[in-house]
Amino acid sequence: MTVAAQVLVFAGVAVVVVSALAMLRARTLLNRLHLLAPVTTLGAPLVGLGLALANGWTLASGAILLTVVLLAVTGPVLQSAAGRVEAQRQGAIDEDLPS
């Protein structure tokens, strides 16, 4: 594994670990969702890029990069939808408002 790949994987794992430790202190679902965002938008892409770089340009690297792109695109959308449902359940926003 190259130094650049190691740095990317280490940085991604560091983001995930810091977010996980912060989640231990979060009390509400909305706070936990907020702390999950860096994992899907920064941590996973860094790990994926590091693994793809370490693997070289192969079919496996393509699968890794496709997974990273799908996670980076769909993760925030799913977190936003879950947050909206929880906010509606708590009565913080009106259910009749458009999304």
Side-chain angles (χ1 to χ4, degrees):
M1 188 180 283
T2 65
V3 174
Q6 288 177 344
V7 168
L8 287 171
V9 170
F10 178 78
V13 169
V15 169
V16 171
V17 168
V18 168
S19 290
L21 291 174
M23 274 192 208
L24 292 174
R25 296 187 45 89
R27 297 287 177 223
T28 66
L29 176 65
L30 294 176
N31 287 338
R32 290 183 182 136
L33 282 172
H34 178 71
L35 292 168
L36 183 63
V39 173
T40 58
T41 58
L42 188 59
L46 285 172
V47 170
L49 288 174
L51 292 176
L53 187 60
N55 242 2
W57 294 110
T58 64
L59 189 57
S61 295
I64 290 170
L65 293 176
L66 178 63
T67 303
V68 165
V69 168
L70 288 174
L71 182 62
V73 170
T74 60
V77 175
L78 292 172
Q79 291 165 11
S80 177
R84 182 171 179 79
V85 167
E86 177 63 13
Q88 285 177 344
R89 190 185 67 78
Q90 291 178 358
I93 58 173
D94 188 13
E95 291 183 20
D96 296 331
L97 291 176
S99 50

